[in-house]
């Protein structure tokens, strides 16, 4: 198969959470353990840092990778979902895995993948771990896909675990309370391996204390620590919460020495070093056009607080969502006096405009409705004056279509 055919096979043949939602979630580690054994356990051939959390795990993973790259380590980075190109998920020192490796890996393992009916995510995790092992990375930053305890990445035994925060997202799979979700995220804690939690929360701290105590793992709440303030190229105000977790993670582990100058340079050049996209990304200055992949109540609360701090004459919002989001709870975050351009992201899970219209009208949000993201954005930019602001978001898939 060509690279294009290989990717098409991966997307179509097997369930993919990004496209299908909860029906694609396997909820057990049997397949990934069998695949790891089939590949001769690549996950045991490199050191790693495991990153979970409701919001901020992607940004935190990229910050860690950037800092460690600046220190001179060869750094693998596994994240999800991708925005434009599947290969964004698997990188070494900011460089995407080659198309040839993807082709060869699927070709070599296709009989196993088909026979065992591995999910899209399971095969991708195996591919990443094989790539990191073959390339002999010094460390891999591995971002959890969903939850933690039953996530396919949870076969690694990392040097340290980082849990950014806990919020109500994917409740149909992970549980409908913060405590239940915290239990799932805490599933990445391994015996004797230190764990950092970026934000202490009264409803979840006892969960982390209990699990860490049972496993004899040192536990650090990063928001209680004092760290220097660094200049960052990731401009969202919410990154201040993430960076504390990253700094605590580097401080509390003992496998990698990191100099102050590497921290400074790493935080200043996250985008350049890792290719991170879609985090308070400024696409245009006049009018100001910003996109962000925040897509749940907690994440969008932080982003909308940042929007309100911007200087603009009128606000234009290009918004779209997927079906499994509690839009009735999310829409009250948005101001009634803005102009709205509601869009449908081009994925099977994309929320139909008729459904979104009901939610929006109930909330008193007025605007136009567009069958695709690019048309909605074009209309927003056409209507926006030089001193206005255009925000694009609501879903990772909305942002993916305009980058």
């Amino acid at each position: 198969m060509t690279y294009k055919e290989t990717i098409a096979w991966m997307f179509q043949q097997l369930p993919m959470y990004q496209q299908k939602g909860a029906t694609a979630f396997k909820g057990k580690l049997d397949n990934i353990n069998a695949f790891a054994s089939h590949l001769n356990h690549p996950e045991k051939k490199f050191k790693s840092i495991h990153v979970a959390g409701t919001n901020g795990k992607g940004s935190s993973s990229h910050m860690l990778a950037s800092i460690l790259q600046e220190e001179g380590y060869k750094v693998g980075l596994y994240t999800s979902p991708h925005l434009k190109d599947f290969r964004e998920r698997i990188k070494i020192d900011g460089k995407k895995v080659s198309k040839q490796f993807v082709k060869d890996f699927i070709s070599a393992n296709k009989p196993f993948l088909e026979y065992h009916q591995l999910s899209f995510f399971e095969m991708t995790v195996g591919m990443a771990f094989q790539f990191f092992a073959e390339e002999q990375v010094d460390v891999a930053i591995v971002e959890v896909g969903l939850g933690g305890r039953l996530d396919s990445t949870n076969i690694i035994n990392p040097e340290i675990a980082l849990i950014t925060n806990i919020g109500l997202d994917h409740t149909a799979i992970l549980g409908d309370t913060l405590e239940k979700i915290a239990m799932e995220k805490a599933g990445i804690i391994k015996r004797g391996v230190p764990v950092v939690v970026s934000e202490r929360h009264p409803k979840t701290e006892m969960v982390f204390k209990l699990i860490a105590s049972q496993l004899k793992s040192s536990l650090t709440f990063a928001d209680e620590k004092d760290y220097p303030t660094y200049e960052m190229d990731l401009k969202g105000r919410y990154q201040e919460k993430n960076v504390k977790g990253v700094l605590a993670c580097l401080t509390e582990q003992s496998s990698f020495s990191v100099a102050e100058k590497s921290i400074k340079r790493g935080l200043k050049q996250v985008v350049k070093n890792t290719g991170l996209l879609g985090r308070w990304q400024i696409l245009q200055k006049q009018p100001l056009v910003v996109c962000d992949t925040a897509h749940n109540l907690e994440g969008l609360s932080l982003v909308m607080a940042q929007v309100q701090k911007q200087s603009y004459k009128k606000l234009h919002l290009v918004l779209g969502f997927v079906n499994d989001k509690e839009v009735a709870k999310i829409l009250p975050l948005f101001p009634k006096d803005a102009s709205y351009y509601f869009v449908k992201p081009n994925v099977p899970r994309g929320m139909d405009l008729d459904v979104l219209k009901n939610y929006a009208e109930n909330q008193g949000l007025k605007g136009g409705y567009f069958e695709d993201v690019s048309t909605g954005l074009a209309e927003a930019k056409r209507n926006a004056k030089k001193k206005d602001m255009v925000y694009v978001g609501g879903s990772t898939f909305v942002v993916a279509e305009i980058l």
Side-chain angles (χ1 to χ4, degrees), residues 260-367:
E260 176 83 1
K261 64 180 182 181
S262 299
I263 295 173
K264 282 183 179 175
R265 283 204 304 256
L267 290 174
K268 218 171 171 179
Q269 301 192 101
V270 176
V271 174
K272 181 184 171 189
N273 286 344
T274 67
L276 178 63
L277 297 169
R279 272 53 166 204
W280 197 260
Q281 188 170 341
I282 296 171
L283 304 174
Q284 186 177 312
K285 295 260 174 96
Q286 289 186 317
L288 177 63
V289 181
V290 174
C291 68
D292 196 284
T293 55
H295 56 271
N296 55 41
L297 189 63
E298 287 79 10
L300 283 165
S301 296
L302 293 168
V303 170
M304 288 316 297
Q306 173 100 2
V307 168
Q308 298 298 340
K309 288 182 172 72
Q310 303 305 303
S311 178
Y312 53 78
K313 201 165 183 183
K314 185 171 176 58
L315 179 62
H316 304 260
L317 290 151
V318 181
L319 295 179
F321 301 93
V322 291
N323 289 324
D324 55 358
K325 295 301 168 194
E326 294 187 284
V327 175
K329 293 180 180 177
I330 288 171
L331 286 180
L333 297 171
F334 298 96
K336 287 186 170 61
D337 59 351
S339 291
Y340 286 86
Y341 307 80
F342 294 106
V343 297
K344 181 183 178 184
N346 185 26
V347 290
R349 289 164 64 207
M351 182 172 284
D352 286 335
L353 293 178
D354 288 343
V355 177
L356 184 50
K357 189 174 185 179
N358 285 335
Y359 284 123
E361 287 180 351
N362 286 341
Q363 195 53 42
L365 305 181
K366 296 184 175 70

Side-chain angles (χ1 to χ4, degrees), residues 79-132:
T79 58
S80 61
H82 63 272
L83 288 177
K84 301 301 287 182
D85 179 352
F86 165 78
R87 296 182 302 135
E88 292 168 30
R89 294 170 178 253
I90 305 170
K91 296 178 181 175
I92 293 178
D93 289 346
K95 188 179 177 185
K96 290 178 282 196
V97 62
S98 70
K99 291 180 179 180
Q100 191 64 47
F101 184 89
V102 175
K103 275 172 44 181
D104 291 348
F105 180 85
I106 294 298
S107 175
N109 296 288
K110 201 173 173 201
F112 182 95
L113 299 172
E114 288 181 323
Y115 181 78
H116 291 273
Q117 294 186 304
L118 264 69
S119 73
F120 172 90
F121 193 76
E122 287 164 342
M123 70 170 80
T124 306
V125 168
M127 182 188 295
F129 290 176
Q130 181 76 5
F131 184 57
F132 297 154

Side-chain angles (χ1 to χ4, degrees), residues 238-264:
Y238 54 85
Q239 298 293 2
E240 293 169 10
K241 295 172 181 273
N242 294 330
V243 76
K244 279 202 163 192
V246 167
L247 295 172
C249 195
L250 293 170
T251 304
E252 299 301 320
Q253 59 78 40
S254 55
S255 298
F256 309 100
S257 59
V258 181
E260 176 83 1
K261 64 180 182 181
S262 299
I263 295 173
K264 282 183 179 175

